[in-house]
Amino acid sequence: MSEVRLSGISAGYAATPVLDAVDLTVRAGSTTAVLGGSGSGKTTLLRIIAGFLRPTAGEVTIGGRTVAGPGTWVPPERRGVGYVRQEGSLFPHLSVAGNIAFGLPWPRRRHRDRVLELLDLVGLPAELADRQPDHLSGGQQQRVALARALAPGPDLVLLDEPFSSLDTALRASTRQATARALRATGATAILVTHDQGEALSFADEVAILGGGAFRQVAAPPVVYGEPVDAQVAVFLGDAVLVPGTATAGRVDCTLGSLTVRGFVTHGPVEVMLRPEQIALTRAGAGRVDATVVSIAYFGHDAVVELDLVDDATRHGIRARVVGLQPPSPGDRVGLDVIGPVRVYPPSVVT
């Protein structure tokens, strides 16, 4: 297991800066998901760690060894890093076994045992060993790519959006198999993704990248439940934002007087809560009453768009409810708020 440390990493392409003095520490044996939008620098960061791209400033250390920095450059093949690309990039002329064993330095007589061990590790049957990659499903190909990356026993595995090309069911099962394999080997892993749900469900920590720097790095429940600012809150999931006035650990807003999580300054604020914090009750039984405007039904849950009865400002109130028996448009309901809310200075909301 190797700790990865980035210190003051800057990089760009031609005259366009992408990363600006980025710092990040990934604990040995843990998984960190780097989450950001298109063009945020996620893949650039991964390429720097792997050794495919030189930073213009800063230092990269893996397991305490400097692999990139002033006067130091270790080529990719000497960094002991496994790399899984978005498409898997298996060699089409080699069998599954040939792909997995490609980078093994051991005597060939031992390759078969290692291949079978790795197939089992990534949840694939041994009979696939002699198949060609084009006879596999997309999810199976990605698992083979992971097995190939794990074959030499790297201390660090880099995953460059490896699940994004798969359909929903394959994406979930392949992600779970990948997480199990990484835990079993104890390898440190860095996943880059633009999928918020993937980052939250896969990683021990989520590092949110935007504007060339990390906006927040924390465990999934922290970045989701306690985002550092309103922009991060909106980027990381559905967020309800309403204006309010804070005082003495509470905030008054269109949803009533609510308890605030964290430090609160007095005066005008932006109130943030997640749609699942808004519970629907019968009309007259909640803090406020509302009318159901529309329903977005997803099966397992539904998002209910609401207009508050006594509020003409229409702040886009949404509640997430269990999908078994959602209300209907036009229904009159009551609203309650579950748990404390976050507040931010109004100026940070754009």
Side-chain angles (χ1 to χ4, degrees):
M1 295 186 291
S2 293
E3 180 183 82
V4 180
R5 188 181 296 272
L6 311 180
S7 303
I9 292 294
S10 296
Y13 300 94
T16 304
V18 177
L19 300 173
D20 182 19
V22 165
D23 296 327
L24 178 68
T25 298
V26 179
R27 293 176 288 108
S30 71
T31 299
T32 291
V34 177
L35 179 65
S38 297
S40 62
K42 304 184 302 296
T43 296
T44 296
L45 188 78
L46 215 62
R47 286 171 57 81
I48 288 171
I49 298 169
F52 302 148
L53 179 69
R54 290 177 183 259
T56 55
E59 183 177 87
V60 179
T61 64
I62 300 175
R65 178 176 68 136
T66 300
V67 296
T72 302
W73 178 254
V74 176
E77 65 274 15
R78 292 176 51 203
R79 296 193 181 191
V81 173
Y83 199 99
V84 181
R85 299 178 185 275
Q86 182 174 338
E87 299 84 9
S89 300
L90 299 180
F91 301 118
H93 63 292
L94 296 179
S95 66
V96 166
N99 269 279
I100 294 173
F102 181 80
L104 289 179
W106 306 334
R108 292 185 62 84
R109 68 179 183 276
R110 295 180 54 194
H111 285 186
R112 188 72 178 183
D113 290 343
R114 179 62 171 162
V115 166
L116 296 179
E117 175 189 337
L118 286 161
L119 284 174
D120 181 64
L121 185 67
V122 298
L124 292 176
E127 54 264 30
L128 294 186
D130 296 318
R131 289 195 189 176
Q132 299 301 119
D134 60 356
H135 292 172
L136 304 178
S137 70
Q140 289 172 331
Q141 291 183 27
Q142 285 301 88
R143 295 192 197 194
V144 173
L146 174 64
R148 183 177 63 185
L150 292 173
D155 289 332
L156 172 63
V157 178
L158 305 177
L159 304 124
D160 189 359
E161 303 208 45
F163 316 118
S164 61
S165 62
L166 305 177
D167 62 37
T168 302
L170 274 178
R171 187 181 305 133
S173 61
T174 304
R175 185 169 64 238
Q176 291 164 2
T178 299
R180 286 194 299 268
L182 290 170
R183 284 195 300 268
T185 61
T188 306
I190 300 175
L191 165 77
V192 300
T193 181
H194 63 274
D195 186 314
Q196 291 92 339
E198 185 170 281
L200 292 169
S201 63
F202 185 82
D204 299 307
E205 284 200 320
V206 177
I208 300 170
L209 187 61
F214 285 113
R215 306 286 297 275
Q216 187 172 8
V217 181
V222 176
V223 292
Y224 184 77
E226 303 175 34
V228 69
D229 57 40
Q231 289 97 332
V232 169
V234 171
F235 175 73
L236 199 58
D238 197 1
V240 176
L241 298 172
V242 297
T245 302
T247 178
R250 300 191 67 82
V251 61
D252 294 316
C253 65
T254 190
L255 292 170
S257 178
L258 308 176
T259 302
V260 174
R261 175 188 290 141
F263 177 76
V264 185
T265 56
H266 290 224
V269 293
E270 199 78 16
V271 182
M272 190 284 293
L273 63 162
R274 299 296 186 185
E276 57 268 25
Q277 287 184 259
I278 299 177
L280 304 189
T281 67
R282 59 181 176 82
R287 294 172 181 269
V288 294
D289 280 358
T291 301
V292 175
V293 177
S294 63
I295 308 286
Y297 184 72
F298 301 103
H300 48 75
D301 64 11
V303 176
V304 182
E305 190 80 20
L306 301 150
D307 271 352
L308 300 185
V309 171
D310 296 324
D311 184 2
T313 56
R314 297 177 181 246
H315 290 292
I317 305 299
R318 295 176 303 284
R320 182 174 288 112
V321 301
V322 176
L324 293 176
Q325 286 186 307
S328 300
D331 285 355
R332 183 85 168 256
V333 296
L335 305 185
D336 268 333
V337 175
I338 302 169
V341 299
R342 297 284 292 183
V343 299
Y344 308 102
S347 60
V348 306
V349 182
T350 59

